[in-house]
Amino acid sequence: MRLSQYFLPVLKETPKEAEIVSHRLMLRAGMIRQQSAGIYSWLPLGLRVLDNIANIVREEQNRAGAHEVLMPTIQPADLWRESGRYDAYGPEMLRIIDRHERDMLYGPTNEEMITDIFRTYVKSYRSLPLNLYHIQWKFRDEVRPRFGVMRGREFLMKDAYSFDVDGDAARAAYQRMFASYLRIFHRLGLTAIPMRADTGPIGGDLSHEFIILASTGESEVFCHRALLDKPVPPADLDFFSDLTPIVDDWTSLYAATDEMHDEAAFEAIPDADRVAARGIEVGHIFYFGEKYSAPMGAKVAGADGVERPVHMGSYGVGVSRLVGAVIEACHDDDGIVWPESIAPFHVGIVHMRPGDAACDELVERMEQALEAAGRTVLVDDTDARPGPKFAAMDLIGLPYQLIIGPRGVAAGEVELKVRATGERTTLSPDAALARLSAPAAS
């Protein structure tokens, strides 16, 4: 992709309304445009990151045995009346009346709708276990939307819903999602700590929030230091084996949000191992049994022929929120530092002399070779001065910068900069290609 042909409205100044680093950098890097309070348009650079995150979430959910569907954003209120949540949910729900005077709502979550789909088609225990998920826009009318995409009113979310014949099977489904979430956040370059959490309006008695530590986090969190370095489940994990040891290993150490904090238990941890910080919630999983299936008649016939309500769980990942959360965890004074797995482009080529025949030829050769190797490339072929070119590349945070100018071309050299470390290396074009073509580990 050539920057001269790309829509990238980078800002020199920080907008006054931006309160935290991720909001400032997303606006300055031309990733989003605020349309109204808590509602944003996603511009090309931001959308590429959003899609990359969604693809990793999708890959790991599929690997864990979930099946993707797509449910609408607008839901009939009657489904929510069946579950008893329509009046109980609160003012965060955007209620709508259509032209036929029917009560509708813009979905803040999808437990009712997925239960309706399930009860329509699934009648026997032989069809279980079942886990359905989608990646869809949600709306919650936050009283005070703030922090950009971190607490917006409209947001992209992955929500999955498991259906099982009994409590034991449902807890096994919960463990599959627990392990899947550990892998998702690891692939996004984040250290996410599962913490026992309040179930809130979703319901149930078993819930974990996945929290990344950040000074701008909305929650106080408390955990054992060993959780910061614990290895995640491997890519070849058998999700349908007994995952109890993995979950027990993670949950045996103290970790809680402020809502669930036990000061006495925390104080029992040695001083050097106690971590008290602020955190950002990036995922939340729930097991709530028959809370929705019983009132909505979602039953299956068991092996004995008797119909019983299924046991359910729900599992959310804030896909759009993760863009901001990653930036909060991965930035420096010059801008964003994207993990390679979700960067909008892997390599930024800084073309120092557009129009110089030798430079043009090498830039095109490097771009084509990198793209052929599966690496996405953004070429700054504009006539801007070198300083602004380098500043813009640092701001948008691509993992690697390849600097190509007349002197280097004449000497058979290019300069490679690693954004995360600032390391600069002069090497031959072929050596640069070999280094940049190596795929990132998953």
Side-chain angles (χ1 to χ4, degrees):
M1 177 64 66
R2 297 298 174 110
L3 186 56
S4 61
Q5 302 169 6
Y6 193 59
F7 182 57
L8 183 60
V10 170
L11 303 178
K12 293 182 180 179
E13 303 297 328
T14 299
K16 294 180 180 179
E17 71 271 21
E19 300 178 64
I20 62 172
V21 168
S22 59
H23 194 190
R24 291 197 294 269
L25 291 178
M26 289 183 75
L27 290 170
R28 286 196 56 214
M31 296 177 64
I32 55 173
R33 163 69 178 171
Q34 181 171 322
Q35 303 302 150
S36 64
I39 299 176
Y40 295 87
S41 290
W42 289 78
L43 307 183
L45 195 78
L47 185 59
R48 289 180 74 99
V49 177
L50 191 68
D51 287 344
N52 288 342
I53 291 175
N55 286 337
I56 287 176
V57 172
R58 180 176 286 113
E59 288 170 7
E60 292 299 332
Q61 288 289 276
N62 292 346
R63 185 178 295 177
H67 305 284
E68 187 172 9
V69 299
L70 185 62
M71 291 175 277
T73 58
I74 304 298
Q75 303 183 27
D78 286 346
L79 286 177
W80 286 67
R81 289 192 174 107
E82 283 189 60
S83 71
R85 282 208 302 174
Y86 183 70
D87 295 318
Y89 197 88
E92 290 77 23
M93 180 187 289
L94 180 62
R95 292 164 168 83
I96 304 165
I97 299 176
D98 71 10
R99 67 193 301 167
H100 299 290
E101 301 297 318
R102 291 175 296 211
D103 290 331
M104 311 291 285
L105 59 101
Y106 193 130
T109 184
N110 279 77
E111 281 82 5
E112 284 80 3
M113 185 164 284
I114 199 70
T115 304
D116 178 59
I117 291 171
F118 177 88
R119 70 184 178 183
T120 301
Y121 298 107
V122 181
K123 305 299 182 183
S124 169
Y125 76 100
R126 298 181 187 279
S127 299
L128 304 181
L130 180 64
N131 191 314
L132 302 174
Y133 79 96
H134 73 160
I135 300 174
Q136 179 61 291
W137 293 96
K138 303 284 194 295
F139 190 93
R140 294 176 188 169
D141 201 2
E142 295 280 353
V143 64
R144 189 186 174 198
R146 57 194 305 223
F147 299 156
V149 301
M150 296 286 289
R151 187 171 286 281
R153 292 193 293 164
E154 185 182 55
F155 54 94
L156 186 64
M157 182 176 177
K158 186 285 304 180
D159 40 324
Y161 304 90
S162 61
F163 302 87
D164 289 277
V165 70
D166 57 31
D168 288 343
R171 289 177 185 275
Y174 186 94
Q175 292 177 342
R176 285 193 290 276
M177 290 297 101
F178 189 104
S180 180
Y181 275 36
L182 291 173
R183 284 205 43 77
I184 286 170
F185 299 124
H186 173 70
R187 289 186 60 188
L188 296 178
L190 298 173
T191 299
I193 303 168
M195 300 190 175
R196 191 68 181 266
D198 184 27
T199 58
I202 300 297
D205 60 1
L206 177 59
S207 176
H208 285 87
E209 290 182 16
F210 287 76
I211 302 285
I212 64 169
L213 303 186
S215 60
T216 52
E218 67 269 66
S219 301
E220 290 184 86
V221 296
F222 307 86
C223 70
H224 195 291
R225 189 172 300 279
L227 289 167
L228 302 181
D229 300 307
K230 190 172 285 294
V232 303
D236 61 354
L237 176 70
D238 178 0
F239 277 97
F240 286 87
S241 63
D242 182 7
L243 300 181
T244 303
I246 291 175
V247 177
D248 285 350
D249 184 44
W250 278 86
T251 58
S252 61
L253 294 171
Y254 187 87
T257 61
D258 47 3
E259 296 174 327
M260 304 293 286
H261 182 46
D262 181 339
E263 185 65 27
F266 186 63
E267 291 292 334
I269 301 171
D271 289 352
D273 292 330
R274 289 202 299 263
V275 175
R278 301 200 70 83
I280 298 170
E281 178 194 341
V282 289
H284 205 157
I285 62 177
F286 304 84
Y287 164 59
F288 41 70
E290 301 175 2
K291 176 179 172 64
Y292 302 94
S293 58
M296 296 185 68
K299 302 178 180 180
V300 295
D304 58 3
V306 177
E307 287 191 340
R308 299 179 180 87
V310 292
H311 285 243
M312 293 177 58
S314 70
Y315 316 91
V317 168
V319 177
S320 54
R321 163 178 273 232
L322 272 164
V323 180
V326 169
I327 294 172
E328 290 294 326
C330 306
H331 70 274
D332 59 20
D333 291 342
D334 295 320
I336 304 166
V337 184
W338 289 117
E340 197 167 337
S341 59
I342 61 171
F345 297 92
H346 296 116
V347 182
I349 296 180
V350 182
H351 191 339
M352 299 297 290
R353 189 70 61 83
D356 180 279
C359 287
D360 288 345
E361 180 181 358
L362 182 57
V363 165
E364 184 170 357
R365 178 168 79 84
M366 299 294 280
E367 179 187 15
Q368 291 179 352
L370 287 167
E371 294 279 2
R375 313 301 271 166
T376 51
V377 181
L378 179 65
V379 178
D380 185 346
D381 60 340
T382 67
D383 293 325
R385 292 178 289 108
K389 283 185 181 240
F390 294 137
M393 278 293 177
D394 283 345
L395 173 63
I396 65 175
L398 308 187
Y400 302 99
Q401 298 173 22
L402 199 59
I403 301 148
I404 299 176
R407 292 181 186 176
V409 171
E413 297 173 340
V414 296
E415 186 176 6
L416 177 64
K417 176 181 176 180
V418 180
R419 177 67 181 88
T421 64
E423 172 196 0
R424 292 174 176 265
T425 308
T426 299
L427 62 175
S428 71
D430 287 342
L433 284 174
R435 180 170 177 184
L436 292 172
S437 298
S442 63

